[in-house]
């Protein structure tokens, strides 16, 4: 179980559409800022890597001190980004794949505007459950 | 990709890895050069960089190459030692602080655009002081014992010609200033002797003599003479001062003031000769000697094998030497010197081969610093030799080795990292360079800040630019600068980061940036910029409550420190919901209450259409009285009256989770007073509006010294996320053009929020429907203020909100004019005449309501003659209101039907002596809720035997939920019908009350009092008591209500027009009025204001039956006849009435039936209908007599023949005109005594209406019993 984990789904145009602090450590207010900064900075690396590989799962694209950034890029160039301090590559990959399934279900909703913020509490509950299961 | 030699690292290496010359001089020499404001070394330093020295060099091979560029480094002997760490740190900090102070003026500028940053040349992206900082950082590692390129190559001994015993001074200089005694430097270095001659003091003869002695003592080639300070005046100004970089700009002009141009040329030639004829040949010879020596001992297979065995033996004695591991004379030191000398002489192949010999030795000896140093030099040599990949590998190796040493190796790692980063940048590998900068951050925050900032610029220079990382590393750098109190640098880096994150939707990032840079601007005293940045954090609704409190508290602290109020245009705390903006104002339309103003304009216009004069007549009046500009303004803009307020409703929303107090909320208005401005406003283009950037004085008045309007101020507190609708008003007191420009409010007594309306579409509730042009957003908030006018105020006293259906109330309308100007021509129109009816006179009632409506009251007014055809009520002509006089006028209210009713009243009045506006209207709006009470239905059935009488069945249902009602009286309307009860009151209603939900049926008889058979309109007047039926018991001492008096008669007329389509009075209908009251009970009623009387009107009840005709058969009931003489013929008469509107054709068919059929008809007649049967006793007597006297007749003859026959015509056909009656004679023949039923006939009718449609039917005859007796 990761002590620190921050999960953000970034839509096209680098707009975050979902954010969740899914670590087991106590939440600190300034930690959210640092996590956003690190994940935002990692977008540069993802931008380069996304066009050089056919894999969706880009493991350990970036790191900052003890924190590692793993990314999953969907076909629509939506990026599932996870900031973690654990080394659990298989779990992280499974987490990404299952969240991707949930995200596809969100996209199938005709009332959901692609690129807008995901506000479904059901989605949030599912994502946090998957985080406890895999990370 | 630039050539390595010409890259910044190449230039840096040329300057930094170059021969060191140790300078020893006497104090008099220093005094000579201090006249120029420089030390001796400073005087010579600009001339130690040779760009075209062109010296042939031959080192290890026989091949000759020429040195083009060369550099010397001059140091005093006292400076040739390891620098102090603390002193170096302070010097570095001073570099940063000075750079920050220089940039202080640029802090106020806005963050640059990211496109501008990207289009900058590469050399301008990073600040220029970084290069200087890096050099100073590298120099903190000078003169390390494990590196030979910092060891002095030569010694320059300088003596002045004024010194006593110069020759002895030369010897003493060197002996007293020996090299550091750690034994790592060469004690036998090159010596050069320089005699300085000051032209201003010493004589030439003495100098020549000393020079001759020096040359004889030290050698002819080792001695030189330098003449200086040739200028007598001492005020030479050099155009390109070579010493400008040494001192501050204040005294730069004085540097070198005693030196002439020839002196400078002499210094330059001296240094060039020194380098080319002494330093380079000496190093060249040294390299060759060392190369031969090392080749003899270390190169070749045999020597390597021997070295392996020999070095193996050295490990057996680890504590052999107590001092430094490698002395100057050791083999490793000699090889290092060879490599460094070759490097400085630009023979990189020899340098690389030398370094390769010793790095394995250092590795075996675990001399990590020496090992890393050699690897570092290898990397640099590979770089200069333009061999990619190998240089980075060596630098990586060196860097890692330095880092393993911990704190002692960190400085070396830093220098290695700096060189490594420059190497990577020269190869356009900026991303890798950034990671190197990141790795050398270390724990010192100021050091880390500079490194992180350089890393960010590397990310900017990648292709394509990695802007996210650029911004992130700037933020990290700024945080470190702040931790070292370098606030200027922190602001600079954050400002650049804002260029990247400006339009981001990553909320935590944006809040972090603006909050911190706002705080830091406040620290440096730029509070206005601080406030501007803090404003971007105020709408942080998504942050936690604690964070919002921190943001807001710091924001207000910063604002207070400015010592003045800050006006912020577009402040987002609170958020104004502009779509909720509503403007309420009054021009010729005034409102009695808030509810009246919210009613849609179309409702008022439809109500006022026939009460106000037409627009054309108004226009013609204006044309006669006013100039042409004013009517145009009336059409185009809104009009309001001086002294009357304009109200503006606006919704405020708190975006934060914490409660916020908002004070002094008011409008921002402009009022231009004179008519010239009116013309100017007319000439303005419609698109012009006030720009937020233009700084204007708000609430300014053009002509008046005092304020020409008053504004309301509202204070309120918004809870977390709360919305509140706020009403703001402005009351102009002068004529002119009033503009509502915006809204302002205060936060915490120091922040003034301003919001301008110029681009907002306003929903003006009172916009005129007749305007053809569409309302522009700006014009909606512009008003033409006209002179003060009388304004009528109206109210209705005690208007109830809840009523029962049928409730009748007495109300008073009160009108008041507070102005001294009178009003006239008052008119009133009511939206629901069915509900409200104005009274007849102004005076108060003499009797209390409802007793004033009862019969016998002398003040009751019969209102037969006042049939108002118009729905507009005109007040009497003599009514005029002025000077706070009030008019009280009675109103009658009756709740006609259940439901929610909106009542609208419009009162029209005209002003006297006023030219700008001829009339005004007062609009009043009230809502009524009418609950169901008694529901009545009437069914009128004509009597079959009496044409003038009708049976009435009244059904009553109490539909109230909880209240009981008491029936008082039932009346017929008009004088035609008389009404009477069929049953006593006690039988109908034993309990006197109708309970909730209870139903009741009552039966009455009404009688047509007109003369029969005629349609004469003249009728005899019935006594009033015959048109009313009292429905209460005799015990009650109550009077009947007079239904012909006002207002019951008026309301009845309204009900007639509402309940039925026919306008004219129809002779076939009857109207009823049921009057009831609420029963007294202890339980509270559903209606708070108890009703006193309820009237229920039922109109247009038809007295017509389903059949268009009615008839009756007249004749004798009993007859005596002597059958012995003849048969009996009896004459009868049938009266038929046509009750329909069309011509009826009636055919009478008589039938002779058998006794069985007659018996069947008789039995069915007993069940229903109207009949008059004689008493039984009389009938029995007659029957007994008849039967006894006729015992002799045979029975068979009776059964075979009918008892009577119709002896008249068997079929009679007549035409009856509408609503007329006719008589038809009939005759029967009777053959024997008996009782006969004369119902064996039928009437066939055929009705032709006014239209072509016809209808027909058949009616059976009524039972009619005839008794025939035998006469005696």
């Amino acid at each position: 179980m990761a002590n620190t984990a921050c999960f953000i789904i970034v839509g096209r145009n680098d707009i975050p559409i979902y954010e969740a602090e899914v670590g087991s450590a106590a939440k600190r207010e300034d930690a959210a800022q640092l996590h956003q900064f690190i994940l935002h900075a990692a977008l540069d690396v993802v931008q380069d890597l996304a066009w050089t590989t056919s894999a969706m799962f880009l493991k350990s694209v970036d790191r900052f001190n003890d924190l590692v950034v793993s990314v999953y890029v969907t076909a629509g160039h939506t990026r599932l980004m996870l900031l973690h301090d654990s080394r659990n590559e298989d779990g992280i990959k499974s987490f990404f794949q299952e969240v991707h399934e949930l995200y596809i279900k969100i996209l199938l909703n005709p009332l959901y505007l692609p690129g807008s913020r995901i506000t479904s509490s059901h989605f949030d509950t599912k994502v946090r459950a998957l985080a406890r299961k895999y990370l | 990709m630039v050539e390595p030699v010409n890259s910044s690292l190449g230039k840096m290496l040329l300057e930094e890895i170059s021969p060191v010359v140790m300078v020893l001089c006497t104090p008099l020499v220093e005094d000579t050069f201090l006249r120029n404001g420089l030390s001796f070394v400073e005087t010579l330093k600009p001339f130690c960089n040779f760009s075209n020295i062109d010296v042939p060099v031959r080192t290890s091979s026989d091949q000759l190459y020429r040195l083009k560029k060369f550099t010397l480094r001059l140091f005093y002997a006292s400076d040739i030692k390891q620098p102090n760490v603390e002193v170096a740190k302070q010097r570095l900090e001073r570099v940063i602080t000075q750079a920050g102070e220089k940039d202080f003026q640029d802090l106020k500028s806005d963050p640059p655009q990211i496109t501008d940053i990207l289009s900058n040349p590469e050399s301008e992206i990073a600040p220029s002081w970084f290069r200087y900082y890096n050099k100073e950082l590298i120099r903190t590692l000078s003169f390390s014992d494990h590196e030979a390129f910092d060891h002095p190559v030569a010694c320059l001994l300088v003596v002045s010609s004024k010194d006593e015993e110069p020759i002895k001074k030369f010897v003493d200089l060197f002996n007293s200033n020996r090299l550091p005694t750690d034994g790592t430097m060469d004690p036998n270095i090159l010596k050069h002797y320089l005699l300085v001659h000051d032209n201003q003091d010493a004589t030439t003869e003495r100098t020549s003599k000393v020079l001759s002695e020096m040359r004889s003592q030290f050698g002819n080639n080792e001695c030189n003479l330098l003449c200086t300070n040739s200028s007598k005046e001492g005020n030479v100004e050099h155009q390109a001062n070579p010493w400008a970089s040494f001192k501050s700009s204040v005294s730069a002009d004085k540097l070198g003031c005693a030196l002439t141009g020839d002196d400078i040329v002499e210094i330059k030639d001296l240094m060039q000769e020194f380098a080319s004829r002494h330093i380079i040949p000496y190093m060249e010879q040294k390299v060759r000697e060392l190369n031969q020596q090392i080749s003899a001992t270390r190169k070749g297979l045999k020597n390597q094998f021997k070295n392996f065995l020999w070095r193996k033996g050295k490990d057996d004695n680890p504590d052999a030497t107590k001092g430094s591991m490698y002395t100057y004379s050791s083999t490793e030191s000699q090889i290092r010197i060879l490599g460094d000398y070759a490097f400085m002489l630009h023979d990189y192949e020899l340098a690389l081969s030398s370094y390769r010999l010793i790095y394995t030795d250092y590795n075996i000896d675990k001399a990590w610093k020496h090992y890393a140093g050699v690897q570092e030099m290898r990397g640099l040599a590979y770089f200069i030799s333009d061999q990619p990949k190998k240089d980075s590998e060596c630098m990586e190796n060196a860097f890692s080795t330095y880092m393993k040493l911990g704190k002692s190796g960190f400085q070396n790692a830093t220098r290695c990292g700096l060189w490594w980063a420059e190497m990577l940048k020269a190869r356009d590998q900026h991303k890798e360079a950034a990671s190197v900068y990141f790795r050398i951050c270390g724990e010192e925050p100021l050091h880390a800040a500079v490194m992180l900032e350089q890393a960010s610029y590397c990310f900017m220079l990648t292709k394509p630019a990695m802007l996210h990382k650029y911004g992130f590393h700037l933020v990290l750098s700024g945080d470190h600068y702040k931790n070292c109190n370098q606030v200027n640098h922190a602001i600079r880096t954050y400002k650049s980061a804002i260029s990247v994150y400006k339009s981001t939707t990553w909320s935590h990032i944006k809040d972090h940036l603006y909050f911190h840079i706002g705080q830091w601007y406040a620290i440096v005293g730029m509070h206005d910029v601080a406030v501007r940045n803090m404003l971007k954090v105020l709408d942080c609704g998504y942050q936690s409550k604690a964070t919002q409190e921190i943001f807001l508290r710091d924001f207000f602290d910063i604002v207070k420190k400015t010592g003045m109020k800050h006006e912020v245009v577009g402040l987002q705390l609170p958020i104004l919901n502009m779509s909720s903006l509503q403007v309420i104002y009054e021009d010729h339309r005034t409102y009695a209450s808030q509810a009246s103003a919210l009613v849609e304009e179309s409702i008022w216009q439809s109500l006022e259409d026939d009460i106000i004069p037409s627009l054309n007549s108004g226009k013609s009046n204006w044309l006669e009285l006013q100039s042409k500009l004013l009517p145009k303004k009336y059409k185009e803009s809104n009009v309001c009256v001086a002294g009357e307020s304009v109200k503006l409703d606006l919704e405020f929303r708190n975006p934060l989770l914490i409660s916020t107090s908002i004070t002094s909320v008011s409008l921002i208005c402009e009022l231009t007073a004179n008519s010239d401005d009116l013309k100017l406003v007319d000439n303005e283009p419609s698109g012009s509006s006030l720009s937020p950037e233009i700084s204007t004085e708000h609430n300014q008045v053009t002509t008046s010294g005092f304020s020409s309007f008053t504004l309301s101020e509202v204070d309120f507190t918004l809870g977390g996320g709360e919305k509140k609708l706020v009403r703001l008003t402005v009351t102009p007191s002068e004529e002119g053009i009033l503009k509502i420009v915006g809204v302002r409010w205060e936060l915490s007594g120091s922040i003034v929020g301003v919001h301008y309306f110029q681009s907002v579409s306003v929903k003006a509730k009172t916009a005129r429907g007749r305007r053809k042009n569409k309302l522009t957003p700006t014009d909606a908030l512009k008003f033409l203020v006209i002179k003060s006018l009388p304004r009528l105020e109206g109210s209705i006293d005690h208007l109830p909100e809840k009523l029962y259906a049928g409730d009748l109330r007495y109300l008073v309308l009160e009108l008041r004019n507070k102005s001294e100007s009178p009003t006239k021509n008052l008119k009133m129109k009511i939206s629901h005449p069915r509900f409200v009816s104005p009274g007849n006179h102004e005076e108060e009632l003499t009797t209390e309501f409802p007793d004033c409506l009862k019969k016998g009251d002398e003040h009751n007014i019969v209102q037969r003659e006042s049939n108002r055809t118009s729905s507009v009520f005109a007040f009497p002509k003599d009514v005029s209101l002025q000077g706070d006089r009030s008019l009280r006028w009675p109103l009658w209210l009756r709740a006609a039907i259940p439901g929610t009713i909106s009542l609208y009243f419009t009162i029209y009045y005209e002003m006297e002596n006023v030219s700008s506006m001829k009339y005004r209207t007062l609009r009043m709006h009230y809502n009524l809720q009418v609950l169901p009470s008694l529901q009545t239905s009437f069914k009128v059935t004509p009597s079959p035997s009496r044409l003038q009488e009708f049976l009435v069945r009244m059904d009553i249902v109490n539909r109230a939920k909880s209240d009981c009602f008491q029936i008082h009286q039932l009346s017929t309307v008009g004088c035609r019908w008389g009404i009477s009860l069929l049953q006593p009151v006690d039988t109908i209603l034993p309990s006197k009350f109708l309970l909730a939900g209870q139903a009741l049926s009552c039966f009455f008889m009404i009688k047509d009092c007109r003369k029969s058979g005629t349609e004469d309109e003249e009728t005899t007047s019935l006594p009033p008591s015959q048109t009313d039926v009292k429905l209460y018991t005799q015990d009650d001492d109550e009077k009947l209500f007079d239904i012909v008096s006002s207002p019951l008669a008026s309301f009845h007329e309204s009900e007639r027009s509402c309940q039925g389509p026919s306008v004219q009075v129809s002779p076939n209908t009857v109207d009823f009025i049921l009057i009831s009251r609420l029963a007294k009970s202890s339980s509270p009623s559903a209606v708070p204001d108890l009703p006193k009387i309820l009237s229920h009107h039922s109109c247009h009840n038809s007295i017509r039956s389903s059949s268009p005709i009615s008839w009756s058969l007249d004749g004798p009931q009993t007859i005596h006849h002597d059958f012995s003489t003849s048969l009996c013929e009896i004459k009868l008469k049938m009266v038929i009435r046509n009750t329909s509107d069309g011509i009826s054709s009636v055919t009478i068919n008589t039938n002779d039936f058998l006794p069985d059929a007659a018996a069947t008809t008789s039995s069915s007649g007993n069940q229903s209908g109207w009949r008059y049967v004689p008493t039984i006793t009389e009938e029995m007597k007659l029957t007994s007599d008849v039967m006894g006297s006729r015992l002799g007749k045979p029975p068979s003859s009776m059964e075979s023949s009918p008892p009577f026959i119709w002896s008249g015509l068997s079929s009679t056909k007549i035409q009856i005109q509408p609503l007329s009656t006719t008589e038809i004679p009939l005759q029967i023949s009777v053959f024997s005594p008996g009782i006969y039923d004369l119902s064996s006939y039928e009437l066939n009718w055929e009705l032709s209406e006014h239209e072509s449609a016809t209808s027909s039917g058949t009616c059976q005859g009524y039972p009619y019993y005839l008794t025939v007796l035998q006469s005696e």
Side-chain angles (χ1 to χ4, degrees), chain B residues 167 209-221 223:
Chain B
I167 307 301
K209 179 187 174 185
V210 172
L211 185 59
S212 301
E213 292 179 6
M214 289 166 56
R215 283 172 172 165
S216 62
Q217 178 78 26
F218 303 116
N220 190 43
N221 292 328
C223 300

Side-chain angles (χ1 to χ4, degrees), chain B residues 488-645:
Chain B
N488 296 347
H489 288 289
I491 291 174
R492 179 175 54 83
T493 52
Y494 262 58
K495 208 171 60 170
S496 299
I498 283 174
S499 304
V500 177
Y501 295 112
K502 187 188 302 180
S503 58
T504 188
T505 55
W506 296 61
S507 53
H508 289 281
I509 290 176
K510 183 172 70 67
D511 287 349
H512 179 93
L513 286 173
Y514 285 113
F515 179 65
H516 283 83
I517 199 173
Q519 278 186 321
W520 300 341
Y521 273 122
I523 291 174
V524 300
M526 300 180 179
H527 295 102
D528 48 347
V529 189
V531 168
R532 191 162 67 236
N533 282 277
M534 283 292 210
L535 286 172
K536 294 184 169 64
V537 193
L538 287 188
D539 53 347
C540 53
Y542 41 83
Q543 297 275 6
S544 69
K545 188 174 180 180
T547 302
Q548 290 177 11
E549 285 174 353
I550 292 171
F551 284 173
L552 211 60
R553 187 186 66 239
D554 282 18
F555 173 71
F556 287 131
D557 286 346
I558 290 169
V559 169
K560 284 189 173 67
K561 285 176 182 174
T562 60
M564 63 179 182
K565 288 192 176 182
H566 276 262
E567 186 174 288
V568 182
V569 178
L571 178 62
Q572 290 290 308
L573 178 66
I575 293 175
L576 272 66
N577 185 6
M578 297 312 297
S579 61
S580 72
L581 182 65
Q582 291 181 357
V583 184
I584 300 164
Y585 65 98
E586 298 176 341
D587 39 13
H588 65 276
R589 300 157 287 186
T590 64
Y591 300 91
S593 64
Q594 167 86 17
S596 309
L598 297 178
V599 176
E600 287 206 5
E601 180 68 19
S602 57
I603 294 178
W604 293 117
Q605 286 189 354
S606 62
L607 192 65
E608 296 171 352
D609 263 343
D610 47 352
I611 202 174
I612 59 177
S614 63
L615 196 59
N616 290 325
S617 63
K619 186 184 292 185
S620 63
N621 289 336
W622 290 340
L623 287 175
E624 294 171 0
L625 297 172
Q626 290 288 319
S627 64
K628 292 183 181 294
L629 284 177
L630 207 53
K632 187 179 179 183
K633 295 309 296 178
Y634 281 162
K635 292 182 189 176
E636 289 181 354
S637 66
N638 310 311
V639 177
C640 65
V641 178
E644 299 178 6
S645 62

